[in-house]
Amino acid sequence: MNAKGFSSSIFVKRATYIVQEIASLADAIEFLDEWPGDRRDLIHETALRVCHEANAARKPVSAARNAFLGFSKRAGILVDPTSAMKWIAACKSGGGKVQG
């Protein structure tokens, strides 16, 4: 595992039918940076600050993961990992090539 990777991924709803895996500090920071301004609050601000502090090695990565998890729950975007993994497993990979 990458030193800045999470011990286990967090799955969040990015849109109605889009689930995103957050597996590292970089993923969490990017997600929080892209969070709409009108939906930001103290919990968002705290999660982002803790992630940046962990990225600078001033806090443990586990604290950042917990902060992001709390933000996800509060925002109502947390997806059960079992459900997300079943959905991912059900999708057949085509290798990204257009079939003709």
Side-chain angles (χ1 to χ4, degrees), residues 45-80:
E45 180 183 316
T46 301
L48 185 57
R49 179 178 42 79
V50 173
C51 286
H52 280 296
E53 289 176 356
N55 199 37
R58 291 190 302 266
K59 296 242 186 235
V61 174
S62 61
R65 184 186 183 283
N66 288 338
F68 187 84
L69 184 61
F71 160 77
S72 301
K73 286 179 183 177
R74 174 76 172 167
I77 59 170
L78 186 64
V79 175
D80 173 50

Side-chain angles (χ1 to χ4, degrees), residues 10-86:
I10 297 171
F11 294 90
V12 293
K13 283 189 283 185
R14 184 157 194 93
T16 304
Y17 297 106
I18 300 173
V19 174
Q20 181 174 346
E21 179 181 16
I22 306 298
S24 67
L25 283 171
D27 293 345
I29 290 169
E30 180 180 0
F31 188 91
L32 291 166
D33 280 343
E34 293 174 357
W35 192 248
D38 62 336
R39 294 188 63 196
R40 294 181 182 199
D41 59 10
L42 183 59
I43 294 171
H44 171 273
E45 180 183 316
T46 301
L48 185 57
R49 179 178 42 79
V50 173
C51 286
H52 280 296
E53 289 176 356
N55 199 37
R58 291 190 302 266
K59 296 242 186 235
V61 174
S62 61
R65 184 186 183 283
N66 288 338
F68 187 84
L69 184 61
F71 160 77
S72 301
K73 286 179 183 177
R74 174 76 172 167
I77 59 170
L78 186 64
V79 175
D80 173 50
T82 307
S83 299
M85 295 310 266
K86 285 179 185 174

